[in-house]
Amino acid sequence: MFYLSMFFRYISQYMKTRLQYRTDLVVEILSDLLFQAVNLVFILVVFGHTQFLSGWTRDEIIFIYGFFLVPFALFSTFFNIWDFNERYIVKGEMDRILTRPIHSLFQVILERMELESLFGVVTGIVIMVYAGQNLGLTIEWLDPILFVLFVAGGALVYAGIFICLASIGFWSDAKTSIMPMMYNIGNYGRYPVDIYNNVIRFVLTWILPFAFVGVYPAAYFLGREEWYVFSYLTPLVGTAFFAISIFLWNEGVKRYRGAGN
């Protein structure tokens, strides 16, 4: 209850702060929508030259992209820790975090959240509905439950990977970061893994499982039975990677030397 209370207090303060600068908030939302629109246009351009991509139709690819946007939006909202190394390690903000009687990662997540990114959830659902109507998909009674589980699993996959990367800063306080590169690799999860060679497919499934953010869970709703096993594994993979990231974070905090050393 204490953590839940702190969560809503942070949100309340965040909303008060953001609403003081409404123009900036609107600009950021429009920028995110424009970025998502550009990616969608890219898909449409590709399918302007071909009808199928390794057996996947245009609307199936669009559906996968729409699904991908939902867990990615949740990740961007609550795990915006791109600059963790430079801000909290190099500049010493971690010293302040560790003086408070609340888990350090929870504080960092709340300090860096961006609630406006939640608009990506709406965008993703709209794209899924559009593609689903073109494909003639129907909704079964179990689908909403699985959708929530798959979305949560995908968001935890992203969160787990990037928390692991942030934890590296406890051992190495250099300003350089591999997060931008990892962000670009994560974009491969927007497309079916069978369009890649076997090595990339293995990496996107078991090493950096970004495929569990988009294509694998979306394949269930598209009726791709050959991917059902991977679809059902999505919540388990997300939970496993997130648990590993929490472990690495806690171990890293134990080894944190402080900004003065």
Side-chain angles (χ1 to χ4, degrees), residues 19-45:
L19 290 176
Q20 290 295 320
Y21 304 95
R22 294 179 178 84
T23 302
D24 291 343
L25 179 61
V26 172
V27 170
E28 288 187 18
I29 293 174
L30 292 177
S31 297
D32 288 341
L33 293 176
L34 179 60
F35 177 75
Q36 294 159 8
V38 169
N39 287 314
L40 182 58
V41 169
F42 173 77
I43 295 175
L44 296 176
V45 169

Side-chain angles (χ1 to χ4, degrees), residues 22 50 79 87 113-114 135 142 160-161 173 188-189 206-207 238:
R22 294 179 178 84
T50 181
F79 298 94
R87 175 173 176 175
M113 67 179 175
E114 294 183 354
L135 292 168
L142 188 59
I161 292 175
D173 56 3
Y188 287 97
W206 304 116
I207 307 301

Side-chain angles (χ1 to χ4, degrees), residues 67-97:
F67 185 96
F68 173 88
L69 289 179
V70 179
F72 181 76
L74 293 177
F75 160 74
S76 300
T77 300
F78 297 108
F79 298 94
N80 182 29
I81 53 176
W82 313 105
D83 60 347
F84 172 80
N85 192 27
E86 181 174 355
R87 175 173 176 175
Y88 288 91
I89 303 298
V90 177
K91 295 183 178 180
E93 288 291 305
M94 198 65 191
D95 292 358
R96 170 179 57 84
I97 294 294

Side-chain angles (χ1 to χ4, degrees), residues 6-218:
M6 292 300 298
F7 175 75
F8 285 109
R9 288 186 181 183
Y10 265 95
I11 288 180
S12 176
Q13 293 301 315
Y14 178 87
M15 294 303 298
K16 291 177 183 178
T17 301
R18 296 299 289 164
L19 290 176
Q20 290 295 320
Y21 304 95
R22 294 179 178 84
T23 302
D24 291 343
L25 179 61
V26 172
V27 170
E28 288 187 18
I29 293 174
L30 292 177
S31 297
D32 288 341
L33 293 176
L34 179 60
F35 177 75
Q36 294 159 8
V38 169
N39 287 314
L40 182 58
V41 169
F42 173 77
I43 295 175
L44 296 176
V45 169
V46 169
F47 277 92
H49 300 279
T50 181
Q51 294 298 316
F52 295 93
L53 185 62
S54 189
W56 298 82
T57 66
R58 185 196 71 165
D59 289 318
E60 286 177 327
I61 300 293
I62 292 176
F63 185 92
I64 294 172
Y65 175 65
F67 185 96
F68 173 88
L69 289 179
V70 179
F72 181 76
L74 293 177
F75 160 74
S76 300
T77 300
F78 297 108
F79 298 94
N80 182 29
I81 53 176
W82 313 105
D83 60 347
F84 172 80
N85 192 27
E86 181 174 355
R87 175 173 176 175
Y88 288 91
I89 303 298
V90 177
K91 295 183 178 180
E93 288 291 305
M94 198 65 191
D95 292 358
R96 170 179 57 84
I97 294 294
L98 294 177
T99 61
R100 298 172 177 173
I102 189 172
H103 195 274
S104 56
L105 178 58
F106 186 73
Q107 292 184 67
V108 172
I109 289 173
L110 293 183
E111 286 189 356
R112 303 298 298 145
M113 67 179 175
E114 294 183 354
L115 295 179
E116 58 270 21
S117 296
L118 284 175
F119 278 90
V121 173
V122 178
T123 305
I125 292 177
V126 170
I127 293 175
M128 290 174 62
V129 170
Y130 163 78
Q133 289 179 339
N134 291 341
L135 292 168
L137 301 181
T138 58
I139 300 177
E140 304 295 337
W141 69 270
L142 188 59
D143 289 349
I145 298 175
L146 291 177
F147 178 77
V148 172
L149 290 176
F150 291 165
V151 166
L156 290 177
V157 166
Y158 244 105
I161 292 175
F162 280 89
I163 290 173
C164 286
L165 295 178
S167 300
I168 296 175
F170 292 117
W171 283 273
S172 174
D173 56 3
K175 289 186 178 182
T176 56
S177 175
I178 62 174
M179 284 196 179
M181 179 186 69
M182 196 61 61
Y183 173 81
N184 291 328
I185 294 176
N187 290 332
Y188 287 97
R190 301 175 178 178
Y191 308 105
V193 291
D194 49 357
I195 69 173
Y196 309 121
N197 62 46
N198 292 332
V199 174
I200 296 178
R201 188 184 308 179
F202 178 82
V203 170
L204 293 176
T205 301
W206 304 116
I207 307 301
L208 300 171
F210 290 114
F212 288 96
V213 180
V215 58
Y216 286 152

